[in-house]
Amino acid sequence: MTAQAQEYHVETPGTLQEVIGPGAEELTRIRVTGILNDRDIAFLHRLCWPSKPKPKGMKYENYLKIAMEKEDTLETCLRHLDMEDARMVNDALPDYAFSGSYIKDYKLPKTLKKIGKNAFDYNVLLKELIIPESVEEIGRSLLLFSIEVEKVRLPDNLEVMNDMLFAECKELKEVNIPSKVREIYGGIFYGCLKAPASIAVLPETVEILDGDLYCAVPSIESVVVPPKVRIMRSAFYGVHNLKKVTIQTDKLTEIGEYAFYNCDNLEDINIPDGVTRIGNSAFYCNFSLRKINIPSSVTYIAENAFACAHLDSIDIPAGVTFIGRGAFWKCDRLKKVYSRPVIPPVTNAWSPPHLPFESDATETCTLFIPKGSAKAYRASEVFSGFKNIVELED
């Protein structure tokens, strides 16, 4: 690209348009050196697609269709951009820098430290993006709907992976997880149907998994939650082929809401000691889950926590004081429920409407409870559906 590119040097930031002069719209390849600012980036943006970011309210699909159909009608021709030896003022690429661009390949400044949000979204011709190792921060939606991207290289020192970085990059086949990443947020690989299973191999530096990171990615069948993770919400939401989860961390106090929502092939998972709460819909619609051990540290089971799971039995620890409505709703395969609290756990008011054990299974399922607590359990709203109650010494 460099050998064929027209080269321009910018002494004064903001003057790239003047440096290039007339005929800029006819250039297909540009190499820029010197110091650039946001005005220069805006000018380059106009050369590769003189359009605006997606209007608020317009559906993504409609905007994408316009983007794909527009190339043949453009008056500008820029398709290859080399800024490797240029430098950005403040070492930062602005928000929406090349949003909706028809660039086919970029070389970004070697000294770049920050990339703003949506910087390369809707880049419908781009197949590969290499982020310089100098970059320390990348905004959300980096390549949203860049539907031809196959390969991305992230800087190894990146510590935060923000929301929707690669969402709807349907051709993405190769991408690395930085070895020092600490926080990973929602929707990063949403709709990445060809993403490799390696995206779920996380380094031991990870502390936060917050959001549906891998929703509908078909390649992921097993995951290991690293030993430093302390927040895990919606992390594996909708990972339909996930079969086994090994949670290594002892820093979790909660299996967060929607953590394994609709993981319909999940068969094997451990909840580590120290967890005190099972969040809302954490194991909702886990159709392949037959058994799960709830550790004695758990005191709170939230609404819909195990709703529609195909559990054969469940053992409720002695410290549980609250079971939310719908927690075991439609667990129709339950045969045995062991409830160890002497005083039955309570539930919340009317939302959701279903009682914790509202299910046909309560007609035939046996509820085992501590000796001497039958009267309290029969009067309990949580366990009101059980017909067969047996007191046990232990």
Side-chain angles (χ1 to χ4, degrees):
M1 182 179 77
T2 302
Q4 303 175 30
Q6 295 288 330
E7 183 169 333
Y8 300 95
H9 182 75
V10 179
E11 290 283 353
T12 305
T15 63
L16 177 61
Q17 183 171 359
E18 290 74 22
V19 170
I20 294 179
E25 294 81 5
E26 300 175 4
L27 296 171
T28 60
R29 300 170 182 267
I30 294 178
R31 182 172 187 268
V32 184
T33 60
I35 305 176
L36 308 178
N37 64 12
D38 291 1
R39 184 172 183 267
D40 298 313
I41 296 300
F43 172 65
L44 289 170
H45 192 186
R46 289 196 299 275
L47 296 185
C48 58
W49 190 19
S51 184
K52 298 179 180 178
K54 184 182 81 65
K56 289 185 178 179
M58 179 180 284
K59 291 183 177 179
Y60 287 111
E61 294 79 5
N62 293 342
Y63 187 66
L64 186 63
K65 183 179 180 181
I66 292 172
M68 295 172 69
E69 293 176 349
K70 193 176 178 80
E71 184 188 10
D72 293 338
T73 67
L74 295 180
E75 295 179 0
T76 54
C77 303
L78 184 59
R79 296 293 180 269
H80 308 274
L81 178 59
D82 181 353
M83 302 186 292
E84 187 173 26
D85 292 322
R87 180 161 191 166
M88 290 297 303
V89 172
N90 298 323
D91 296 321
L93 203 61
D95 296 347
Y96 300 96
F98 293 100
S99 175
S101 163
Y102 281 100
I103 293 288
K104 293 183 177 180
D105 52 74
Y106 298 91
K107 287 186 178 180
L108 300 178
K110 292 183 291 187
T111 56
L112 198 62
K113 291 185 178 179
K114 179 181 178 180
I115 297 176
K117 66 182 180 181
N118 298 79
F120 304 99
D121 66 352
Y122 293 95
N123 274 225
V124 294
L125 301 181
L126 186 67
K127 292 187 178 296
E128 177 178 303
L129 183 65
I130 308 298
I131 307 293
E133 284 298 317
S134 57
V135 172
E136 300 171 352
E137 181 181 344
I138 299 175
R140 69 189 313 274
S141 304
L142 176 73
L143 286 158
L144 175 70
F145 275 112
S146 291
I147 55 173
E148 295 296 327
V149 167
E150 297 179 3
K151 177 181 178 180
V152 177
R153 175 67 196 181
L154 294 172
D156 216 37
N157 290 325
L158 190 69
E159 295 188 1
V160 178
M161 294 178 71
N162 279 311
D163 304 49
M164 309 291 283
L165 283 186
F166 312 112
E168 300 292 354
C169 292
K170 298 184 184 300
E171 296 297 321
L172 183 64
K173 301 182 184 72
E174 184 179 342
V175 60
N176 64 305
I177 302 296
S179 64
K180 296 182 181 179
V181 67
R182 294 184 297 104
E183 303 174 19
I184 305 178
Y185 292 96
I188 284 184
F189 294 104
Y190 180 84
C192 295
L193 302 181
K194 297 183 180 180
S198 59
I199 62 175
V201 179
L202 301 175
E204 293 193 352
T205 52
V206 173
E207 299 178 16
I208 296 174
L209 299 172
D210 194 354
D212 48 334
L213 314 180
Y214 309 109
C215 185
V217 176
S219 63
I220 300 173
E221 296 185 2
S222 66
V223 298
V224 175
V225 178
K228 293 183 180 180
V229 172
R230 53 188 174 82
I231 294 175
M232 186 172 66
R233 285 188 291 257
S234 303
F236 304 99
Y237 181 113
V239 185
H240 298 294
N241 291 332
L242 182 62
K243 294 179 180 178
K244 182 176 181 180
V245 177
T246 303
I247 302 178
Q248 294 183 338
T249 180
D250 59 0
K251 301 186 184 310
L252 275 181
T253 59
E254 178 178 10
I255 303 295
E257 61 182 12
Y258 302 100
F260 300 97
Y261 183 98
N262 207 16
C263 292
D264 39 319
N265 282 298
L266 182 61
E267 300 172 353
D268 187 5
I269 186 171
N270 63 301
I271 300 178
D273 292 335
V275 168
T276 61
R277 295 171 64 99
I278 310 295
N280 188 342
S281 303
F283 298 95
Y284 188 98
C285 284
N286 282 204
F287 297 136
S288 300
L289 194 63
R290 299 286 184 268
K291 61 181 179 179
I292 191 166
N293 179 48
I294 301 177
S296 59
S297 53
V298 170
T299 61
Y300 188 101
I301 300 174
E303 297 87 345
N304 296 322
F306 297 94
C308 300
H310 286 180
L311 297 166
D312 296 322
S313 65
I314 196 73
D315 193 327
I316 300 168
V320 172
T321 60
F322 179 90
I323 300 178
R325 283 181 170 266
F328 299 95
W329 176 66
K330 288 294 181 182
C331 290
D332 292 330
R333 300 194 181 190
L334 277 175
K335 296 179 177 65
K336 297 178 181 180
V337 174
Y338 296 88
S339 184
R340 299 182 181 275
V342 174
I343 300 173
V346 298
T347 191
N348 50 323
W350 293 100
S351 181
H354 308 289
L355 287 170
F357 285 95
E358 192 168 309
S359 168
D360 293 340
T362 56
E363 296 285 334
T364 56
C365 179
T366 301
L367 173 64
F368 297 96
I369 60 174
K371 188 138 182 101
S373 60
K375 183 177 179 180
Y377 269 81
R378 288 194 176 97
S380 165
E381 187 177 17
V382 172
F383 298 95
S384 61
F386 286 90
K387 306 303 181 186
N388 305 314
I389 298 178
V390 177
E391 293 185 351
L392 296 178
E393 290 285 354
D394 183 9

